[in-house]
């Protein structure tokens, strides 16, 4: 498999990030990451959760940046799901 990115943009596209893949993730033998943009790496954690356990191939720089970017994206997604309050303490 080459890349495993998130869909970005309008809501109809973003909802595709939560759809089940058209394949069994456990049958994917390897993943090649071309570079570290969310539209290329953003769904790697979901792929793993769905059963992928193969090798991931990328450059050392891509690996280093992917770790930072995925942690940051996860934090932002968590913030987006928190209810907002208009009242001030």
């Amino acid at each position: 498999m080459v890349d495993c990115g998130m869909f970005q943009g309008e809501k109809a596209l973003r909802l595709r990030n939560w759809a089940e893949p058209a394949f069994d993730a456990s049958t994917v033998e390897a993943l090649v990451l071309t570079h570290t943009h969310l539209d290329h790496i953003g769904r790697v954690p979901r792929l793993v959760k769905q059963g992928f356990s193969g090798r991931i191939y990328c450059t050392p720089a891509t690996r280093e940046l992917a770790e930072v970017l995925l942690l940051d994206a996860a934090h932002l997604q968590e913030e987006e799901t928190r209810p907002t309050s208009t009242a001030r303490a």
Side-chain angles (χ1 to χ4, degrees):
M1 180 177 201
V2 176
D3 291 333
C4 188
M6 292 180 75
F7 293 95
Q8 299 175 313
E10 57 188 65
K11 186 175 182 176
L13 284 175
R14 292 191 319 269
L15 289 174
R16 294 179 68 185
N17 291 318
W18 305 110
E20 292 299 316
F23 56 89
D24 180 353
S26 68
T27 65
V28 177
E29 294 180 23
L31 173 62
V32 177
L33 300 178
T34 60
H35 64 284
T36 314
H37 288 160
L38 280 179
D39 61 334
H40 292 263
I41 68 163
R43 288 189 301 159
V44 172
R46 184 157 166 80
L47 185 69
V48 170
K49 186 175 182 177
Q50 291 167 328
F52 171 73
S53 62
R55 298 209 28 121
I56 298 176
Y57 296 96
C58 62
T59 65
T62 295
R63 184 191 184 286
E64 186 177 331
L65 288 172
E67 183 175 355
V68 172
L69 189 63
L70 288 171
L71 288 172
D72 185 56
H75 175 74
L76 292 174
Q77 288 172 345
E78 287 177 353
E79 281 187 357
E80 288 176 4
T81 63
R82 290 191 187 121
T84 57
S85 173
T86 58
R88 293 198 172 242

